Amino acid sequence: MTDLVVWFDGGCPVCRREIAAMKRLDRAGRITFLDLASAETDCPIDRGALLARFHAQENGVLLSGSAAFAAMWRAIPLLRPLGLAARNRHVGSVLEWLYVRFLRHRPALQRWATARDARP
């Protein structure tokens, strides 16, 4: 049984790269990764809301944004210190501020990653 469920946008090249890296780091298999691009993926909330922001469920609690990333980091031994630091409200606030800025640039990053993947 896994300790954490993570929903991700499998249609997003940036998301696919990041999740591939997290899967490699999750050697203990503590995280269940659910691809929202898959029709059979169950969603605890509206699929559009899950696609708009990163979501994870830790100990039955649904988290989004930087809090979801922090939960994922806590499940991976190498990244656990960063995930634990994110529990500090000041660190968490900075991470959320950075995440919201990332979301503004996500469409451009997706276009860049798609173009990069299309190169021979």
Side-chain angles (χ1 to χ4, degrees):
M1 173 144 170
T2 59
D3 300 327
L4 182 72
V5 177
V6 168
W7 290 270
F8 71 97
D9 182 358
C12 167
V14 175
C15 302
R16 283 193 312 268
R17 281 189 173 111
E18 180 161 7
I19 294 303
M22 294 299 111
K23 284 180 177 180
R24 285 190 301 274
L25 292 172
D26 182 28
R27 294 185 185 130
R30 296 187 66 200
I31 305 170
T32 299
F33 294 95
L34 299 176
D35 182 354
L36 289 164
S38 172
E40 60 271 357
T41 300
D42 288 330
C43 300
I45 61 173
D46 176 69
R47 187 176 293 269
L50 285 173
L51 289 167
R53 285 178 58 93
F54 188 70
H55 285 79
Q57 187 171 16
E58 181 182 44
N59 300 321
V61 177
L62 188 64
L63 305 166
S64 77
S66 66
F69 277 100
M72 185 171 60
W73 299 335
R74 284 190 294 275
I76 297 170
L78 180 67
L79 302 176
R80 186 168 173 76
L82 181 58
L84 291 173
R87 285 187 167 156
N88 175 284
R89 67 183 175 108
H90 299 294
V91 174
S93 293
V94 170
L95 289 173
E96 184 63 22
W97 183 85
L98 290 168
Y99 179 71
V100 169
R101 266 90 201 139
F102 161 78
L103 287 178
R104 290 183 189 162
H105 299 286
R106 183 179 172 203
L109 290 169
Q110 288 173 318
R111 287 190 299 275
W112 173 82
T114 299
R116 189 168 186 262
D117 288 347
R119 286 190 285 181

